[in-house]
Coordinates of all heavy atoms in Angstrom, one line a residue:
M104 N 0.9 -1.1 0.0 CA 0.0 0.0 0.0 C 0.9 1.2 0.0 O 1.7 1.4 0.8 CB -0.9 0.0 1.3 CG -1.7 1.3 1.5 SD -3.1 1.4 0.5 CE -4.0 2.7 1.3
A105 N 0.7 2.1 -1.0 CA 1.6 3.3 -1.0 C 1.2 4.3 -0.1 O -0.1 4.6 0.1 CB 1.4 3.9 -2.5
A106 N 2.1 4.9 0.7 CA 1.7 5.9 1.7 C 1.6 7.3 1.0 O 2.4 7.6 0.1 CB 2.7 6.0 2.7
R107 N 0.7 8.1 1.6 CA 0.6 9.5 1.1 C 1.9 10.2 1.4 O 2.7 10.0 2.5 CB -0.5 10.2 1.8 CG -1.8 9.9 1.3 CD -2.9 10.6 2.1 NE -3.0 12.0 1.8 CZ -4.0 12.6 1.2 NH1 -5.2 11.8 1.0 NH2 -4.1 13.9 1.0
L108 N 2.3 11.1 0.5 CA 3.6 11.9 0.6 C 3.5 12.7 2.0 O 2.5 13.4 2.2 CB 3.9 12.8 -0.5 CG 4.3 12.2 -1.8 CD1 4.3 13.3 -3.0 CD2 5.5 11.4 -1.7
S109 N 4.6 12.7 2.7 CA 4.6 13.6 3.9 C 4.9 15.0 3.4 O 5.3 15.2 2.4 CB 5.8 13.1 4.8 OG 7.1 13.4 4.2
D110 N 4.9 15.9 4.4 CA 5.2 17.3 4.1 C 6.6 17.5 3.6 O 6.8 18.2 2.6 CB 4.8 18.2 5.3 CG 3.4 18.3 5.7 OD1 2.6 17.9 4.7 OD2 2.9 18.7 6.7
D111 N 7.4 16.8 4.3 CA 8.9 16.9 3.9 C 9.0 16.3 2.4 O 9.7 17.0 1.6 CB 9.8 16.1 4.8 CG 10.0 16.8 6.1 OD1 9.6 18.0 6.2 OD2 10.5 16.2 7.1
E112 N 8.5 15.2 2.1 CA 8.5 14.6 0.8 C 8.0 15.6 -0.2 O 8.5 15.7 -1.3 CB 7.8 13.3 0.8 CG 8.5 12.2 1.5 CD 7.8 10.9 1.6 OE1 6.5 11.0 1.9 OE2 8.3 9.9 1.4
R113 N 6.9 16.2 0.1 CA 6.4 17.2 -0.8 C 7.3 18.3 -1.1 O 7.4 18.8 -2.2 CB 5.0 17.7 -0.2 CG 3.9 16.7 -0.2 CD 2.6 17.1 0.5 NE 1.8 15.8 0.7 CZ 0.8 15.5 -0.1 NH1 0.4 16.3 -1.1 NH2 0.1 14.4 0.0
A114 N 7.9 18.8 -0.1 CA 8.9 19.9 -0.3 C 10.1 19.4 -1.1 O 10.5 20.1 -2.0 CB 9.3 20.4 1.2
Q115 N 10.5 18.2 -0.8 CA 11.7 17.7 -1.5 C 11.5 17.2 -2.9 O 12.2 17.5 -3.9 CB 12.4 16.6 -0.7 CG 13.1 17.1 0.5 CD 13.3 15.9 1.6 OE1 13.4 14.8 1.0 NE2 13.6 16.3 2.8
K116 N 10.4 16.5 -3.0 CA 10.2 15.7 -4.3 C 9.2 16.3 -5.2 O 9.1 16.2 -6.4 CB 9.8 14.3 -3.9 CG 10.8 13.5 -3.2 CD 10.4 12.1 -2.9 CE 11.4 11.3 -2.1 NZ 10.9 10.0 -1.6
L117 N 8.1 17.0 -4.6 CA 7.1 17.6 -5.4 C 7.5 18.9 -6.0 O 7.2 19.2 -7.2 CB 5.9 17.7 -4.5 CG 4.6 17.9 -5.2 CD1 4.3 16.9 -6.3 CD2 3.4 17.8 -4.2
R118 N 8.2 19.6 -5.3 CA 8.7 21.0 -5.7 C 9.3 21.1 -7.0 O 9.0 21.8 -7.8 CB 9.5 21.7 -4.7 CG 9.7 23.2 -4.9 CD 10.5 23.9 -3.8 NE 9.6 23.9 -2.5 CZ 10.1 24.2 -1.3 NH1 11.3 24.5 -1.2 NH2 9.3 24.2 -0.3
P119 N 10.3 20.1 -7.3 CA 10.9 20.2 -8.6 C 10.0 19.9 -9.7 O 10.0 20.5 -10.8 CB 12.0 19.1 -8.6 CG 12.2 18.8 -7.1 CD 10.9 19.1 -6.4
L120 N 9.0 19.0 -9.5 CA 8.0 18.8 -10.6 C 7.1 20.0 -10.8 O 6.8 20.4 -12.0 CB 7.1 17.5 -10.1 CG 7.8 16.1 -10.1 CD1 6.9 15.1 -9.6 CD2 8.3 15.8 -11.4
L121 N 6.8 20.6 -9.7 CA 5.9 21.9 -9.8 C 6.7 23.0 -10.5 O 6.2 23.7 -11.4 CB 5.4 22.2 -8.5 CG 4.6 21.3 -7.7 CD1 4.1 21.8 -6.4 CD2 3.3 20.9 -8.5
A122 N 7.9 23.0 -10.3 CA 8.9 24.0 -10.9 C 9.0 23.6 -12.4 O 9.3 24.5 -13.3 CB 10.2 24.1 -10.3
G123 N 8.9 22.4 -12.8 CA 9.1 21.9 -14.2 C 8.0 21.8 -15.0 O 8.0 21.2 -16.1
G124 N 6.7 22.2 -14.6 CA 5.6 22.2 -15.5 C 4.4 21.5 -14.9 O 3.3 21.6 -15.5
W125 N 4.6 20.7 -13.9 CA 3.4 20.1 -13.2 C 2.6 21.1 -12.3 O 3.2 22.1 -11.9 CB 3.8 18.9 -12.4 CG 4.3 17.8 -13.3 CD1 5.5 17.5 -13.7 CD2 3.4 16.6 -13.9 NE1 5.5 16.4 -14.6 CE2 4.3 15.8 -14.6 CE3 2.1 16.3 -13.6 CZ2 3.8 14.7 -15.2 CZ3 1.6 15.2 -14.2 CH2 2.5 14.3 -15.0
A126 N 1.4 20.8 -12.1 CA 0.6 21.7 -11.1 C -0.2 20.9 -10.2 O -0.6 19.8 -10.6 CB -0.3 22.6 -12.1
L127 N -0.5 21.4 -9.1 CA -1.5 20.8 -8.2 C -2.8 20.9 -8.7 O -3.2 21.9 -9.2 CB -1.3 21.5 -6.8 CG -0.1 21.3 -6.0 CD1 -0.1 22.2 -4.8 CD2 0.2 19.9 -5.6
A128 N -3.5 19.8 -8.7 CA -4.9 19.7 -9.2 C -5.7 20.4 -8.1 O -5.5 20.5 -6.9 CB -5.4 18.3 -9.3
S129 N -6.8 21.0 -8.7 CA -7.8 21.6 -7.6 C -8.7 20.7 -7.2 O -9.3 19.8 -7.8 CB -8.5 22.8 -8.3 OG -9.2 22.3 -9.4
G130 N -9.0 20.7 -5.8 CA -10.0 19.9 -5.2 C -9.6 18.4 -4.9 O -10.4 17.7 -4.4
R131 N -8.3 18.1 -5.2 CA -7.9 16.8 -4.9 C -6.4 16.7 -4.7 O -5.7 17.6 -5.2 CB -8.4 15.7 -5.8 CG -7.8 15.9 -7.2 CD -8.5 15.0 -8.3 NE -7.9 13.6 -8.0 CZ -7.8 12.7 -8.9 NH1 -8.3 12.9 -10.1 NH2 -7.3 11.4 -8.7
D132 N -5.9 15.7 -4.0 CA -4.4 15.6 -3.8 C -3.8 14.9 -5.0 O -3.7 13.7 -5.0 CB -4.2 14.9 -2.5 CG -2.8 14.9 -2.1 OD1 -2.0 15.8 -2.5 OD2 -2.3 13.9 -1.4
A133 N -3.6 15.7 -6.0 CA -3.1 15.1 -7.3 C -2.3 16.2 -8.1 O -2.5 17.4 -7.7 CB -4.3 14.7 -8.2
I134 N -1.5 15.8 -9.0 CA -0.8 16.7 -9.9 C -1.2 16.5 -11.3 O -1.7 15.4 -11.7 CB 0.8 16.6 -9.7 CG1 1.2 15.1 -9.9 CG2 1.3 17.1 -8.4 CD1 2.7 15.0 -10.0
E135 N -1.1 17.5 -12.1 CA -1.6 17.4 -13.5 C -0.7 18.2 -14.4 O 0.1 19.1 -13.9 CB -3.1 18.0 -13.6 CG -3.2 19.4 -13.2 CD -4.6 19.9 -13.1 OE1 -5.6 19.0 -12.9 OE2 -4.9 21.1 -13.0
R136 N -0.7 17.8 -15.7 CA 0.1 18.5 -16.7 C -0.5 18.2 -18.1 O -0.9 17.0 -18.3 CB 1.6 18.0 -16.7 CG 2.5 18.8 -17.6 CD 3.9 18.5 -17.4 NE 4.8 19.5 -18.1 CZ 6.0 19.4 -18.2 NH1 6.8 18.7 -17.4 NH2 6.8 20.3 -18.9
S137 N -0.5 19.2 -18.9 CA -0.9 19.0 -20.3 C 0.3 19.0 -21.3 O 1.1 19.9 -21.1 CB -1.9 20.1 -20.7 OG -3.1 19.9 -20.0
F138 N 0.3 18.1 -22.2 CA 1.3 18.0 -23.2 C 0.7 18.3 -24.6 O -0.3 17.7 -24.8 CB 2.1 16.6 -23.2 CG 2.7 16.4 -21.9 CD1 2.0 15.7 -20.8 CD2 4.0 16.7 -21.6 CE1 2.6 15.4 -19.5 CE2 4.6 16.4 -20.4 CZ 3.9 15.8 -19.4
V139 N 1.3 19.1 -25.4 CA 0.9 19.3 -26.7 C 2.0 18.9 -27.7 O 3.1 19.4 -27.7 CB 0.5 20.7 -27.0 CG1 0.0 21.0 -28.4 CG2 -0.6 21.2 -26.0
F140 N 1.7 17.9 -28.6 CA 2.7 17.4 -29.5 C 2.4 17.8 -30.9 O 1.5 18.6 -31.2 CB 2.6 15.7 -29.4 CG 2.9 15.2 -28.0 CD1 1.9 14.9 -27.1 CD2 4.2 15.0 -27.7 CE1 2.1 14.5 -25.9 CE2 4.5 14.5 -26.4 CZ 3.4 14.2 -25.5
D141 N 3.3 17.4 -31.8 CA 3.2 17.9 -33.2 C 2.1 17.2 -34.0 O 1.8 17.6 -35.1 CB 4.6 17.9 -33.9 CG 5.0 16.5 -34.0 OD1 4.4 15.5 -33.6 OD2 6.1 16.2 -34.6
S142 N 1.6 16.1 -33.4 CA 0.6 15.3 -34.2 C -0.1 14.3 -33.3 O 0.3 14.0 -32.2 CB 1.3 14.5 -35.3 OG 2.1 13.5 -34.7
F143 N -1.2 13.7 -33.7 CA -1.8 12.8 -33.0 C -1.0 11.5 -32.8 O -0.8 11.0 -31.8 CB -3.1 12.4 -33.7 CG -3.7 11.1 -33.1 CD1 -4.4 11.2 -31.9 CD2 -3.7 9.9 -33.7 CE1 -5.0 10.2 -31.2 CE2 -4.3 8.7 -33.1 CZ -4.9 8.9 -31.9
T144 N -0.2 11.2 -33.9 CA 0.7 10.0 -33.7 C 1.7 10.2 -32.7 O 2.1 9.3 -32.0 CB 1.3 9.7 -35.1 OG1 1.8 10.8 -35.6 CG2 0.2 9.1 -36.0
S145 N 2.3 11.4 -32.6 CA 3.3 11.7 -31.5 C 2.6 11.6 -30.1 O 3.2 11.0 -29.2 CB 3.9 13.1 -31.7 OG 4.6 13.1 -32.8
A146 N 1.4 12.1 -30.0 CA 0.6 12.0 -28.8 C 0.4 10.5 -28.4 O 0.6 10.2 -27.2 CB -0.7 12.7 -28.9
F147 N 0.1 9.8 -29.4 CA -0.2 8.4 -29.1 C 1.0 7.6 -28.8 O 1.0 6.7 -27.9 CB -1.0 7.7 -30.4 CG -1.5 6.3 -30.1 CD1 -2.6 6.3 -29.3 CD2 -0.8 5.3 -30.5 CE1 -3.1 5.0 -29.0 CE2 -1.3 4.0 -30.1 CZ -2.5 3.8 -29.4
A148 N 2.1 8.0 -29.5 CA 3.4 7.3 -29.1 C 3.8 7.6 -27.6 O 4.3 6.7 -27.0 CB 4.5 7.8 -30.1
F149 N 3.5 8.9 -27.3 CA 3.8 9.2 -25.8 C 3.0 8.4 -24.9 O 3.4 7.8 -24.0 CB 3.4 10.7 -25.7 CG 3.2 11.1 -24.3 CD1 4.4 11.4 -23.5 CD2 2.1 11.4 -23.7 CE1 4.3 11.8 -22.2 CE2 1.9 11.8 -22.4 CZ 3.0 12.0 -21.6
M150 N 1.6 8.2 -25.3 CA 0.7 7.4 -24.4 C 1.1 6.0 -24.4 O 1.0 5.3 -23.4 CB -0.7 7.6 -24.8 CG -1.2 9.0 -24.8 SD -2.9 9.2 -25.3 CE -3.7 8.5 -23.8
A151 N 1.5 5.4 -25.5 CA 2.0 4.0 -25.6 C 3.2 3.8 -24.8 O 3.2 2.8 -24.0 CB 2.2 3.7 -27.0
A152 N 4.1 4.7 -24.8 CA 5.4 4.4 -24.0 C 5.1 4.7 -22.6 O 5.6 3.8 -21.8 CB 6.5 5.6 -24.4
V153 N 4.3 5.6 -22.1 CA 3.9 5.8 -20.7 C 3.2 4.6 -20.3 O 3.4 4.0 -19.2 CB 3.2 7.1 -20.6 CG1 2.6 7.2 -19.1 CG2 4.1 8.3 -20.8
A154 N 2.2 4.1 -21.1 CA 1.3 2.9 -20.7 C 2.2 1.7 -20.3 O 2.0 1.1 -19.4 CB 0.3 2.6 -21.8
L155 N 3.2 1.4 -21.2 CA 4.0 0.3 -21.0 C 4.7 0.4 -19.6 O 4.8 -0.5 -18.8 CB 5.0 0.0 -22.1 CG 4.4 -0.4 -23.4 CD1 5.5 -0.5 -24.5 CD2 3.6 -1.7 -23.3
H156 N 5.3 1.6 -19.4 CA 6.0 1.8 -18.1 C 5.1 1.7 -16.9 O 5.4 1.1 -15.9 CB 6.7 3.1 -18.2 CG 7.7 3.4 -17.0 ND1 8.9 2.7 -16.9 CD2 7.5 4.1 -15.9 CE1 9.5 3.1 -15.8 NE2 8.6 3.9 -15.0
A157 N 3.9 2.3 -17.1 CA 2.9 2.3 -16.1 C 2.5 0.9 -15.7 O 2.3 0.6 -14.5 CB 1.7 3.1 -16.5
E158 N 2.4 0.1 -16.6 CA 2.0 -1.4 -16.3 C 3.1 -2.0 -15.6 O 2.9 -2.8 -14.6 CB 1.7 -2.0 -17.7 CG 1.0 -3.4 -17.6 CD -0.3 -3.3 -16.8 OE1 -0.8 -2.2 -16.7 OE2 -0.6 -4.4 -16.2
K159 N 4.3 -1.8 -16.0 CA 5.5 -2.4 -15.3 C 5.6 -1.9 -13.9 O 5.7 -2.6 -13.0 CB 6.8 -2.0 -16.0 CG 7.2 -2.9 -17.1 CD 8.6 -2.5 -17.6 CE 8.7 -2.5 -19.1 NZ 9.7 -1.6 -19.6
M160 N 5.2 -0.6 -13.7 CA 5.2 0.0 -12.3 C 3.9 -0.5 -11.5 O 3.9 -0.2 -10.3 CB 5.1 1.5 -12.3 CG 6.4 2.3 -12.7 SD 6.0 4.0 -12.6 CE 5.7 4.2 -10.9
D161 N 2.9 -0.9 -12.2 CA 1.5 -1.1 -11.6 C 1.1 0.1 -11.0 O 0.6 0.2 -9.9 CB 1.6 -2.3 -10.6 CG 0.2 -2.7 -10.2 OD1 -0.7 -2.5 -11.0 OD2 0.0 -3.1 -8.9
H162 N 1.2 1.2 -11.7 CA 0.7 2.5 -11.3 C 0.4 3.2 -12.6 O 1.1 3.5 -13.4 CB 1.9 3.3 -10.5 CG 1.3 4.4 -9.8 ND1 0.5 4.3 -8.7 CD2 1.4 5.7 -10.0 CE1 0.2 5.5 -8.3 NE2 0.7 6.4 -8.9
H163 N -0.9 3.7 -12.7 CA -1.4 4.2 -13.9 C -2.0 5.6 -13.9 O -2.5 6.0 -12.8 CB -2.6 3.3 -14.3 CG -2.2 1.8 -14.4 ND1 -2.1 1.0 -13.3 CD2 -1.6 1.1 -15.4 CE1 -1.7 -0.2 -13.6 NE2 -1.4 -0.2 -14.9
P164 N -1.7 6.3 -15.0 CA -2.2 7.7 -14.9 C -3.7 7.8 -15.3 O -4.3 6.9 -15.8 CB -1.5 8.4 -16.2 CG -1.2 7.1 -17.1 CD -1.0 5.9 -16.2
E165 N -4.2 9.0 -14.9 CA -5.6 9.2 -15.4 C -5.3 10.3 -16.5 O -4.5 11.2 -16.3 CB -6.4 10.0 -14.3 CG -6.6 9.2 -13.1 CD -7.0 10.0 -11.9 OE1 -7.7 11.0 -12.1 OE2 -6.7 9.6 -10.8
W166 N -5.8 10.0 -17.7 CA -5.5 11.0 -18.8 C -6.6 11.1 -19.8 O -7.5 10.2 -19.9 CB -4.1 10.5 -19.5 CG -3.9 9.1 -19.9 CD1 -4.9 8.1 -19.9 CD2 -2.8 8.6 -20.3 NE1 -4.3 6.9 -20.3 CE2 -3.0 7.1 -20.5 CE3 -1.4 9.0 -20.4 CZ2 -2.0 6.3 -20.9 CZ3 -0.5 8.1 -20.9 CH2 -0.7 6.7 -21.1
F167 N -6.4 12.2 -20.5 CA -7.4 12.5 -21.5 C -6.7 13.0 -22.8 O -5.7 13.7 -22.8 CB -8.3 13.6 -21.1 CG -9.2 14.3 -22.2 CD1 -10.4 13.7 -22.6 CD2 -8.8 15.4 -22.8 CE1 -11.2 14.2 -23.6 CE2 -9.6 15.9 -23.9 CZ -10.8 15.3 -24.2
N168 N -7.0 12.4 -23.9 CA -6.3 12.8 -25.2 C -7.3 13.2 -26.3 O -8.4 12.6 -26.4 CB -5.6 11.5 -25.8 CG -5.3 11.6 -27.2 OD1 -5.7 10.9 -28.1 ND2 -4.4 12.6 -27.6
V169 N -7.0 14.4 -26.8 CA -7.8 14.9 -28.0 C -6.8 15.3 -29.0 O -6.0 16.2 -28.7 CB -8.8 16.0 -27.7 CG1 -8.2 17.1 -27.1 CG2 -9.5 16.3 -28.9
Y170 N -6.7 14.6 -30.2 CA -5.8 14.9 -31.2 C -4.3 14.9 -30.7 O -3.9 13.9 -30.3 CB -6.2 16.2 -32.0 CG -5.2 16.4 -33.1 CD1 -5.1 15.4 -34.2 CD2 -4.6 17.6 -33.4 CE1 -4.3 15.6 -35.2 CE2 -3.7 17.8 -34.4 CZ -3.5 16.8 -35.3 OH -2.7 17.0 -36.4
N171 N -3.6 16.1 -30.7 CA -2.1 16.2 -30.3 C -1.9 16.5 -28.9 O -0.8 16.8 -28.4 CB -1.3 17.1 -31.3 CG -1.9 18.6 -31.1 OD1 -3.1 18.8 -30.8 ND2 -1.1 19.6 -31.3
R172 N -3.1 16.5 -28.1 CA -2.9 17.0 -26.6 C -3.2 15.9 -25.8 O -4.1 15.0 -26.0 CB -4.0 18.1 -26.4 CG -3.7 18.9 -25.1 CD -4.6 20.0 -24.8 NE -5.6 19.6 -23.8 CZ -6.8 20.1 -23.7 NH1 -7.3 20.8 -24.7 NH2 -7.6 19.6 -22.7
V173 N -2.5 15.7 -24.6 CA -2.6 14.8 -23.7 C -2.6 15.5 -22.3 O -1.6 16.1 -22.0 CB -1.6 13.7 -23.7 CG1 -1.9 12.6 -22.6 CG2 -1.5 13.0 -25.1
D174 N -3.7 15.4 -21.6 CA -3.9 15.9 -20.2 C -3.7 14.8 -19.2 O -4.4 13.7 -19.3 CB -5.2 16.5 -20.0 CG -5.5 17.7 -20.9 OD1 -4.5 18.3 -21.4 OD2 -6.7 18.0 -21.2
V175 N -2.7 14.9 -18.3 CA -2.3 13.8 -17.4 C -2.6 14.2 -16.0 O -2.3 15.3 -15.6 CB -0.9 13.4 -17.6 CG1 -0.5 12.2 -16.7 CG2 -0.5 13.1 -19.0
T176 N -3.2 13.4 -15.2 CA -3.4 13.6 -13.8 C -2.9 12.4 -13.0 O -3.1 11.2 -13.5 CB -4.9 13.8 -13.4 OG1 -5.4 14.9 -14.2 CG2 -5.1 14.1 -11.9
L177 N -2.1 12.7 -12.1 CA -1.5 11.5 -11.2 C -1.9 11.7 -9.9 O -1.9 12.7 -9.2 CB 0.1 11.6 -11.4 CG 0.6 11.5 -12.8 CD1 2.2 11.6 -12.6 CD2 0.2 10.3 -13.4
S178 N -2.4 10.5 -9.3 CA -2.7 10.4 -7.9 C -2.8 8.9 -7.6 O -2.9 8.0 -8.6 CB -4.1 11.0 -7.6 OG -4.3 11.1 -6.2
T179 N -2.7 8.6 -6.3 CA -2.7 7.2 -6.0 C -4.0 6.8 -5.4 O -4.4 7.3 -4.3 CB -1.5 6.9 -5.0 OG1 -0.3 7.2 -5.6 CG2 -1.4 5.4 -4.6
H180 N -4.7 5.9 -6.1 CA -6.1 5.7 -5.7 C -6.0 4.9 -4.3 O -6.9 5.2 -3.5 CB -6.8 4.8 -6.7 CG -6.7 5.3 -8.1 ND1 -6.5 4.4 -9.3 CD2 -6.6 6.6 -8.6 CE1 -6.3 5.2 -10.3 NE2 -6.5 6.4 -10.0
D181 N -5.0 4.1 -4.2 CA -5.0 3.3 -2.8 C -5.0 4.1 -1.6 O -5.4 3.7 -0.5 CB -3.8 2.4 -2.9 CG -4.0 1.2 -4.0 OD1 -5.2 1.1 -4.5 OD2 -3.0 0.6 -4.4
C182 N -4.4 5.4 -1.8 CA -4.3 6.2 -0.5 C -5.0 7.5 -0.7 O -4.8 8.5 0.1 CB -2.8 6.4 -0.1 SG -1.9 7.4 -1.3
Q183 N -5.8 7.6 -1.9 CA -6.5 8.8 -2.2 C -5.7 10.1 -2.1 O -6.2 11.1 -1.5 CB -7.7 9.0 -1.2 CG -8.9 8.2 -1.6 CD -8.9 6.9 -0.8 OE1 -8.6 6.9 0.4 NE2 -9.3 5.8 -1.4
G184 N -4.5 10.0 -2.6 CA -3.6 11.1 -2.6 C -2.4 10.8 -3.3 O -2.2 9.8 -4.0
L185 N -1.4 11.9 -3.2 CA -0.1 11.7 -3.9 C 0.9 10.8 -3.0 O 0.9 10.9 -1.8 CB 0.6 13.1 -4.0 CG -0.1 13.9 -5.1 CD1 0.4 15.4 -4.9 CD2 0.2 13.4 -6.4
S186 N 1.4 9.8 -3.7 CA 2.5 9.0 -3.1 C 3.7 9.0 -3.9 O 3.8 9.7 -5.0 CB 1.9 7.5 -3.1 OG 2.0 7.0 -4.4
A187 N 4.8 8.3 -3.5 CA 6.1 8.3 -4.2 C 6.0 7.8 -5.6 O 6.7 8.1 -6.5 CB 7.0 7.5 -3.3
R188 N 4.9 6.9 -5.7 CA 4.7 6.3 -7.1 C 4.3 7.4 -8.1 O 4.6 7.3 -9.3 CB 3.6 5.3 -7.0 CG 4.1 4.0 -6.1 CD 2.8 3.1 -5.5 NE 2.3 2.4 -6.6 CZ 2.8 1.1 -6.9 NH1 3.7 0.6 -6.2 NH2 2.1 0.4 -7.8
D189 N 3.6 8.4 -7.7 CA 3.2 9.5 -8.5 C 4.5 10.3 -8.9 O 4.5 10.7 -10.1 CB 2.1 10.3 -7.9 CG 0.8 9.6 -7.5 OD1 0.3 9.0 -8.5 OD2 0.5 9.6 -6.4
I190 N 5.2 10.5 -8.0 CA 6.5 11.3 -8.3 C 7.3 10.5 -9.3 O 7.8 11.1 -10.3 CB 7.4 11.4 -6.9 CG1 6.5 12.1 -5.9 CG2 8.7 12.2 -7.3 CD1 6.1 13.5 -6.2
A191 N 7.4 9.1 -9.1 CA 8.3 8.4 -10.0 C 7.7 8.3 -11.4 O 8.4 8.5 -12.4 CB 8.4 6.9 -9.5
L192 N 6.3 8.1 -11.5 CA 5.6 8.1 -12.8 C 5.7 9.6 -13.5 O 6.0 9.7 -14.7 CB 4.2 7.7 -12.6 CG 3.5 7.5 -14.0 CD1 4.1 6.7 -14.9 CD2 2.0 6.9 -13.7
A193 N 5.6 10.6 -12.7 CA 5.8 12.0 -13.3 C 7.1 12.1 -14.0 O 7.3 12.7 -15.0 CB 5.4 13.0 -12.3
A194 N 8.1 11.7 -13.2 CA 9.5 11.8 -13.8 C 9.7 11.0 -15.0 O 10.2 11.5 -16.1 CB 10.5 11.3 -12.7
H195 N 9.1 9.9 -15.0 CA 9.2 9.0 -16.2 C 8.4 9.7 -17.5 O 8.9 9.8 -18.6 CB 8.7 7.6 -16.0 CG 8.6 6.8 -17.2 ND1 9.8 6.2 -17.8 CD2 7.7 6.5 -18.1 CE1 9.5 5.5 -18.8 NE2 8.3 5.7 -19.1
I196 N 7.3 10.3 -17.1 CA 6.5 10.9 -18.1 C 7.2 12.0 -18.7 O 7.3 12.2 -19.9 CB 5.2 11.4 -17.5 CG1 4.2 10.1 -17.3 CG2 4.5 12.4 -18.3 CD1 3.0 10.4 -16.5
D197 N 7.9 12.9 -17.8 CA 8.7 13.9 -18.4 C 9.9 13.5 -19.3 O 10.1 14.1 -20.3 CB 9.3 14.8 -17.2 CG 8.2 15.7 -16.6 OD1 7.1 15.7 -17.2 OD2 8.4 16.2 -15.5
R198 N 10.5 12.4 -18.9 CA 11.5 11.8 -19.8 C 11.0 11.4 -21.2 O 11.5 11.8 -22.2 CB 12.1 10.7 -19.1 CG 13.1 11.0 -17.9 CD 14.0 9.9 -17.5 NE 13.3 8.7 -16.9 CZ 12.8 8.6 -15.7 NH1 13.1 9.6 -14.8 NH2 12.2 7.5 -15.3
V199 N 9.8 10.7 -21.2 CA 9.3 10.3 -22.5 C 8.9 11.6 -23.3 O 9.2 11.6 -24.4 CB 8.1 9.4 -22.1 CG1 7.3 9.1 -23.5 CG2 8.5 8.1 -21.4
A200 N 8.3 12.5 -22.6 CA 7.8 13.7 -23.4 C 8.9 14.5 -23.9 O 8.9 14.9 -25.1 CB 6.9 14.6 -22.4
S201 N 10.1 14.6 -23.2 CA 11.2 15.3 -23.7 C 11.8 14.7 -24.9 O 12.3 15.5 -25.8 CB 12.3 15.4 -22.6 OG 12.8 14.1 -22.4
K202 N 11.6 13.4 -25.2 CA 12.1 12.8 -26.3 C 11.2 13.1 -27.6 O 11.7 12.9 -28.8 CB 12.2 11.2 -26.1 CG 13.3 10.9 -25.1 CD 13.5 9.4 -25.0 CE 14.4 9.0 -23.9 NZ 13.8 7.9 -23.1
L203 N 9.9 13.4 -27.3 CA 9.0 13.5 -28.4 C 8.6 15.0 -28.7 O 7.9 15.3 -29.6 CB 7.7 12.7 -28.0 CG 7.8 11.2 -28.1 CD1 6.6 10.5 -27.3 CD2 7.8 10.7 -29.5
L204 N 9.0 15.9 -27.9 CA 8.7 17.3 -28.0 C 9.8 18.1 -28.7 O 11.0 17.7 -28.4 CB 8.3 18.0 -26.6 CG 6.9 17.5 -26.1 CD1 6.8 18.0 -24.6 CD2 5.8 18.1 -27.0
Ligands
HBI242 N1 -2.7 3.3 -10.2 N2 -2.7 5.7 -10.0 C1 -2.9 4.4 -9.5 N3 -3.2 4.4 -8.1 C2 -3.3 3.1 -7.6 O1 -3.7 3.1 -6.4 C3 -3.1 1.9 -8.4 C4 -2.7 2.1 -9.7 N4 -2.6 1.0 -10.5 C5 -2.7 -0.3 -10.0 C6 -3.0 -0.3 -8.6 N5 -3.2 0.7 -7.7 C7 -3.0 -1.7 -7.9 O2 -1.8 -1.9 -7.2 C8 -4.2 -1.9 -6.9 O3 -5.3 -1.6 -7.6 C9 -4.2 -3.3 -6.4

């Protein structure tokens, strides 16, 4: 069971993500980011790469795709809030996106 991030962990691990383009979701303990790619196929390649890693992590994003845009929200359902798994997945998502943007 993933534990909710402590205040210290939020300061240390969440802050770099928020500085790098992620934002706190309103109304829930989650982070969100929108990515705009050059085409639908690039957006889908991004989603495919993230999906494979998410499955390996057993930790999955909540996301919405329309054409070249992908909106991603990360939170841990098991603890109804942000856990270290969300931090790890966000970092992976940024690595995948940086290769496609
Ligand atoms: N993904 N975001 C998220 N949060 C979870 O709690 C979660 C998940 N993927 C799989 C998963 N939990 C399973 O470990 C549990 O449903 C058993």
